[in-house]
Amino acid sequence: MKNKGIIVLVVILVVLVILAGVLFAMKVVGGNNNNEEPTNEVISLGTDTAKKEEEKKVQIYSGNDRPIAVMIDNHKSAWPQAGLNDAYLVYEIIVEGGESRLMPVFKGVNLEKIGPVRSSRHYFLDYALENGAIYVHYGWSPQAESDIKKLKVNNINGISQSAKDFWRVKDKKSPHNAVTSTKNILQMAGDKGYKTQSNEKSVLNYQVDEVNLDEGKTASRVVIPYSTSNVVSYTYDETSKRYTRYSKNTKQTDWTTKKDITTKNIIITFAENHKLNDGENKDRQDLKNIGDKKGYYITNGKAIEIVCSKSSRTAKTVYKDLQGNEIKVNDGNTFIQICPIDAKVVIE
């Protein structure tokens, strides 16, 4: 009987020890479920993870803001222009008289001054449409007016807006002095019932990891003649890994910030242009940009030959290497130079 009592006592002690362990575990778990602040170590780990995830995303084209495309004057009297460094894309195409115009495309930026804004040319619509952008201009050619209506382009014409929405500055002469802002553009777009949010996919195949064209040719200097009087060039800076822009032998700077105009990427497309018979005899141009066009992709001091394919006016241009693969583009701003098919481009 004595031995039996000892066994019972031992069993009771074991049960008590187990219960004590269970209660302690419950207390620890329960304490973690209280409203106590997590330790600094947990916060740090969570923040670091979030930062790393953010760094993995493309920066130049992100968010749900709808792109905005603006026609920019490129006459010498319009220099310097405002906003080019803030665009994710800038298109340059020839217009009448051997001149060219620019169309920067913005996404999710707040700019107090963009300009000088100039009139529309119909072939620029193709690139506003492929970016799903609100198209902003100050006047239009007869062909552009017709195509804007026919293609139902969400456009804002500064001539028909108030002087508060588009205003003329005093330090430049008309017609090279009309400017606007992103705030005004968005307000006008809202008044017209245009969407200001978009999930439109980017035209370019941006990459988070750095793209180096190891098999490409050296591209420390790029020269693109639009006409004998209108030559664009870029010089590469190995330290910043960016190209500085020149036009008509003049280094381009921003009107507002005074900083040099630079770009991470350059795309050249060769396309035939010819005089448009619009009955006004102003030498306005037409552009044959549908189909496969030869070109170059230039970044980080190297250049490769590419094919630029556009199947329709509204379709996104697809840029491919000579093996038929869509090119990978560095995460940064891009100047797309659509130049005459016979332009004697120099890459060296």
Side-chain angles (χ1 to χ4, degrees):
M1 294 295 293
K2 186 177 179 179
N3 290 338
K4 186 176 181 181
I6 292 172
I7 293 172
V8 171
L9 182 60
V10 171
V11 170
I12 292 172
L13 288 173
V14 171
V15 170
L16 288 173
V17 170
I18 293 172
L19 286 173
V22 171
L23 289 171
F24 179 78
M26 290 176 65
K27 184 176 180 180
V28 172
V29 174
N32 286 342
N33 288 332
N34 288 339
N35 292 326
E36 296 175 4
E37 290 292 328
T39 65
N40 290 335
E41 183 178 4
V42 173
I43 292 175
S44 176
L45 288 172
T47 303
D48 289 346
T49 300
K51 286 182 178 179
K52 287 179 180 179
E53 288 299 319
E54 185 63 28
E55 289 173 358
K56 290 180 182 178
K57 296 179 181 178
V58 169
Q59 301 299 311
I60 194 67
Y61 190 94
S62 61
N64 295 322
D65 293 297
R66 185 178 180 184
I68 297 169
V70 185
M71 289 296 298
I72 298 294
D73 196 341
N74 197 36
H75 190 276
K76 270 193 171 184
S77 298
W79 293 352
Q81 301 114 327
L84 298 183
N85 275 341
D86 299 284
Y88 67 88
L89 290 179
V90 179
Y91 293 87
E92 182 168 17
I93 314 177
I94 197 165
V95 293
E96 56 270 22
E99 291 288 335
S100 59
R101 286 194 184 166
L102 304 172
M103 189 182 76
V105 190
F106 307 99
K107 184 177 175 67
V109 295
N110 181 15
L111 301 175
E112 295 182 358
K113 183 167 68 175
I114 302 172
V117 186
R118 202 65 193 274
S119 58
S120 172
R121 295 296 178 265
H122 65 285
Y123 37 87
F124 281 92
L125 300 175
D126 302 14
Y127 301 100
L129 288 166
E130 73 172 37
N131 280 276
I134 298 167
Y135 181 62
V136 181
H137 54 103
Y138 201 92
W140 44 26
S141 65
Q143 186 66 53
E145 179 182 11
S146 173
D147 285 0
I148 284 173
K149 294 174 180 176
K150 180 173 64 178
L151 296 170
K152 299 180 179 179
V153 179
N154 283 179
N155 80 106
I156 296 173
N157 186 355
I159 284 182
S160 59
Q161 300 296 141
S162 75
K164 291 182 179 179
D165 294 323
F166 288 80
W167 65 96
R168 291 195 179 275
V169 296
K170 295 181 179 179
D171 54 331
K172 298 182 192 294
K173 294 182 179 180
S174 180
H176 312 290
N177 62 346
V179 297
T180 187
S181 69
T182 51
K183 180 181 178 181
N184 288 4
I185 292 169
L186 291 173
Q187 180 64 55
M188 290 181 283
D191 292 342
K192 293 177 180 294
Y194 299 158
K195 292 181 179 178
T196 56
Q197 298 288 300
S198 172
N199 293 316
E200 189 88 24
K201 182 182 177 183
S202 62
V203 171
L204 298 180
N205 181 25
Y206 297 111
Q207 302 294 302
V208 174
D209 297 326
E210 192 78 359
V211 176
N212 292 302
L213 307 176
D214 296 328
E215 303 302 319
K217 63 183 292 187
T218 298
S220 297
R221 178 172 172 264
V222 181
V223 181
I224 309 163
Y226 279 82
S227 65
T228 54
S229 60
N230 182 15
V231 178
V232 174
S233 64
Y234 293 91
T235 57
Y236 182 61
D237 185 310
E238 291 186 358
T239 302
S240 65
K241 293 187 174 182
R242 297 184 64 81
Y243 287 87
T244 301
R245 175 182 163 88
Y246 296 78
S247 185
K248 301 172 185 174
N249 295 317
T250 303
K251 181 189 284 189
Q252 303 291 275
T253 58
D254 184 84
W255 191 359
T256 303
T257 67
K258 314 304 179 187
K259 293 181 179 180
D260 294 346
I261 303 300
T262 66
T263 187
K264 180 66 175 177
N265 308 296
I266 303 166
I267 290 177
I268 298 174
T269 300
F270 295 96
E272 181 183 346
N273 63 287
H274 59 270
K275 185 177 179 180
L276 180 67
N277 184 17
D278 62 0
E280 293 197 351
N281 297 318
K282 292 187 176 181
D283 193 36
R284 294 194 185 100
Q285 300 292 298
D286 198 6
L287 186 73
K288 292 185 177 180
N289 60 346
I290 306 302
D292 293 344
K293 308 298 177 183
K294 294 180 179 180
Y296 290 97
Y297 172 48
I298 303 166
T299 192
N300 286 356
K302 294 281 188 175
I304 60 170
E305 292 184 61
I306 61 172
V307 176
C308 314
S309 301
K310 189 170 175 63
S311 60
S312 71
R313 296 190 69 180
T314 59
K316 286 178 170 59
T317 305
V318 180
Y319 300 94
K320 298 179 181 180
D321 61 26
L322 298 187
Q323 289 70 49
N325 305 305
E326 185 175 7
I327 63 170
K328 296 177 179 179
V329 177
N330 269 315
D331 186 1
N333 66 322
T334 305
F335 270 73
I336 297 182
Q337 309 286 158
I338 302 174
C339 65
I341 198 166
D342 58 352
K344 304 300 181 184
V345 170
V346 176
I347 300 175
E348 58 188 15

